């Protein structure tokens, strides 16, 4: 099942900001006010939210707008991506004459929908090589990536963030050898991945199933490399070959990482909010003190010779 992540951090606007919301999740709470204004009293505030279609937003089952101008979009969809603008209007009143002046301030939020699997797989593998210099190492690396992509392409999965480094390795009874340490991640959003969802609104169950199959295929591929190494080479061993038992795989739980990140963000914003609230109270206390005297403050193949 998909991992639900509640995005509940309150975002206080300083300049135009970009936000990314996972599909079918709630957006963060957008506040129609900046730091400076939040620390002051606001007389007769009104809030007008304009959506990506350039029409005013009103509260409904999907759009939640509070009396204090806070906006949250529920069950966020790709069609809802775009520019969200809020115009705050308030009054300044001169104490002596009671003269009123209307002040307006605009705040812009760019919101984009995104998809991600509940988890992916980080993998690592090693190959021997004749030397750390020369073009064959890079050729092996590129051919391996192509083989793995072809192996899992029908699952709408692909290899991302591939990298390799060459190291000298001291092997007991064999001396020093050169090895390529290769790492990559398997992701279920290869070009054309939407077709695998069959127009399903919630695609995570399908992508999670596909990436499990991709993991199994890649594991079987490297098991076959070990078999080839021990049974097909006889006494002739190629300079570049798979290192047995070097294949490793780690589960990357993306939803959990996002949740941890959002909890950190939420904590930070709550801390700022409490400081602003305290500062506001202190200003009020200090103002009262003047009149009452009070105070407070992210796989490979075999390469034959």
């Amino acid at each position: 099942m998909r991992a639900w992540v509640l995005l509940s951090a309150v975002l206080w606007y300083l300049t135009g900001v970009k936000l990314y919301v996972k599909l079918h999740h709630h957006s963060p709470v957008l506040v129609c006010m900046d730091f400076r204004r939040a620390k002051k009293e606001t007389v007769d505030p009104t809030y007008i939210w304009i959506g990506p279609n350039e029409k005013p937003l009103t509260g409904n089952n999907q759009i939640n707008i509070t009396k204090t101008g806070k906006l949250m979009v529920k069950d966020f969809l790709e069609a809802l991506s775009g520019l969200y603008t809020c115009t705050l209007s308030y009054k300044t009143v001169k104490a002596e004459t009671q003269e009123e002046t209307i002040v307006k301030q605009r705040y812009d939020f760019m919101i984009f929908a995104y998809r991600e699997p509940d988890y992916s797989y980080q993998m690592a593998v090693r190959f021997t090589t004749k030397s750390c210099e020369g073009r064959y190492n890079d050729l092996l690396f590129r051919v391996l990536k192509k083989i793995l992509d072809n192996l899992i392409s029908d699952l709408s999965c692909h290899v991302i963030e591939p990298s390799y480094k060459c190291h000298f390795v001291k092997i007991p009874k064999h001396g020093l050898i050169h090895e390529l340490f290769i790492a990559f991640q398997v992701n279920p959003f290869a070009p054309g991945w939407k077709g695998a969802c069959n127009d399903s609104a919630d695609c995570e169950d399908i992508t999670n199933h596909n990436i499990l199959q991709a993991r199994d295929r890649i594991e079987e591929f490297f098991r076959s490399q070990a078999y080839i190494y021990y049974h097909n080479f006889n006494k002739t061993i190629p300079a570049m070959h798979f290192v047995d038992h070097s294949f490793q795989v780690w589960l990357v739980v993306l939803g959990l990482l996002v949740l941890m990140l959002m909890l950190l963000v939420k904590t930070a914003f709550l801390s700022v909010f409490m400081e602003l609230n305290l500062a506001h109270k202190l200003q009020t206390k200090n103002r009262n003190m003047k009149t009452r005297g009070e105070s407070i403050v992210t796989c490979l193949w075999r390469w034959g010779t």
Side-chain angles (χ1 to χ4, degrees), residues 209-221:
H209 175 72
N210 286 348
I211 202 168
L212 282 172
Q213 286 189 293
R215 179 205 63 185
D216 293 344
R217 289 186 187 181
I218 292 174
E219 287 182 338
E220 178 59 31
F221 171 78

Side-chain angles (χ1 to χ4, degrees), residues 218-232:
I218 292 174
E219 287 182 338
E220 178 59 31
F221 171 78
F222 285 110
R223 279 196 295 267
S224 71
Q225 301 309 300
Y227 180 88
I228 291 171
Y229 175 73
Y230 285 113
H231 296 82
N232 291 18

Side-chain angles (χ1 to χ4, degrees), residues 55-56 78-79 97 126 157 195 206 215 223 266 287 295 298:
K55 295 182 180 180
E78 287 181 282
T97 63
R126 290 156 62 178
C157 296
I206 297 173
R215 179 205 63 185
R223 279 196 295 267
K266 179 178 179 180
R287 187 164 57 246
S295 66
T298 208

Side-chain angles (χ1 to χ4, degrees), residues 95-299:
E96 301 86 356
T97 63
Q98 295 298 299
E99 180 183 352
E100 299 179 357
T101 302
I102 297 178
V103 181
K104 295 185 178 182
Q105 181 66 51
R106 169 175 163 164
Y107 304 96
D108 294 338
F109 302 86
M110 287 295 299
I111 310 182
F112 302 95
Y114 75 94
R115 290 182 182 268
E116 72 174 6
D118 289 339
Y119 50 87
S120 66
Y121 288 97
Q122 184 72 33
M123 300 182 179
V125 70
R126 290 156 62 178
F127 274 70
T128 62
T129 182
K130 188 174 182 179
S131 170
C132 284
E133 304 295 331
R135 64 186 182 90
Y136 290 104
N137 295 336
D138 189 61
L139 179 61
L140 171 64
F141 177 71
R142 289 186 285 110
V143 170
L144 173 65
K145 181 182 182 304
K146 185 175 182 180
I147 289 175
L148 294 178
D149 279 335
N150 290 339
L151 187 66
I152 58 178
S153 62
D154 63 308
L155 300 172
S156 300
C157 296
H158 63 159
V159 170
I160 64 172
E161 300 180 6
S163 65
Y164 79 93
K165 288 186 178 181
C166 187
H167 297 280
F168 298 96
V169 181
K170 173 62 174 67
I171 304 296
K173 301 180 181 181
H174 291 278
L176 286 173
I177 64 172
H178 300 82
E179 289 190 3
L180 301 179
F181 289 57
I182 304 172
F184 56 93
Q185 188 174 125
V186 180
N187 180 280
F189 293 140
W193 64 268
K194 289 185 178 181
C197 293
N198 299 318
D199 299 322
S200 172
D202 182 0
C203 194
E204 268 110 345
D205 286 343
I206 297 173
T207 56
N208 289 340
H209 175 72
N210 286 348
I211 202 168
L212 282 172
Q213 286 189 293
R215 179 205 63 185
D216 293 344
R217 289 186 187 181
I218 292 174
E219 287 182 338
E220 178 59 31
F221 171 78
F222 285 110
R223 279 196 295 267
S224 71
Q225 301 309 300
Y227 180 88
I228 291 171
Y229 175 73
Y230 285 113
H231 296 82
N232 291 18
F233 289 152
N234 298 320
K235 295 182 180 181
T236 303
I237 300 177
M240 305 181 79
H241 63 80
F242 170 69
V243 177
D244 193 19
H245 302 301
S246 69
F247 177 70
Q248 300 179 67
V249 57
W250 300 272
L251 177 67
V252 180
V253 185
L254 299 175
L256 178 59
L257 294 177
V258 172
L259 178 58
M260 293 174 63
L261 177 61
M262 293 310 303
L263 288 176
L264 291 174
V265 172
K266 179 178 179 180
T267 301
F269 279 113
L270 286 177
S271 177
V272 172
F273 175 78
M274 292 175 65
E275 291 180 8
L276 290 174
N277 190 40
L278 177 59
H280 176 72
K281 289 181 179 179
L282 291 176
Q283 283 188 344
T284 302
K285 293 290 184 179
N286 289 334
R287 187 164 57 246
N288 293 336
M289 179 183 65
K290 296 179 181 178
T291 58
R292 301 197 304 269
E294 299 177 357
S295 66
I296 259 191
V297 190
T298 208
C299 298

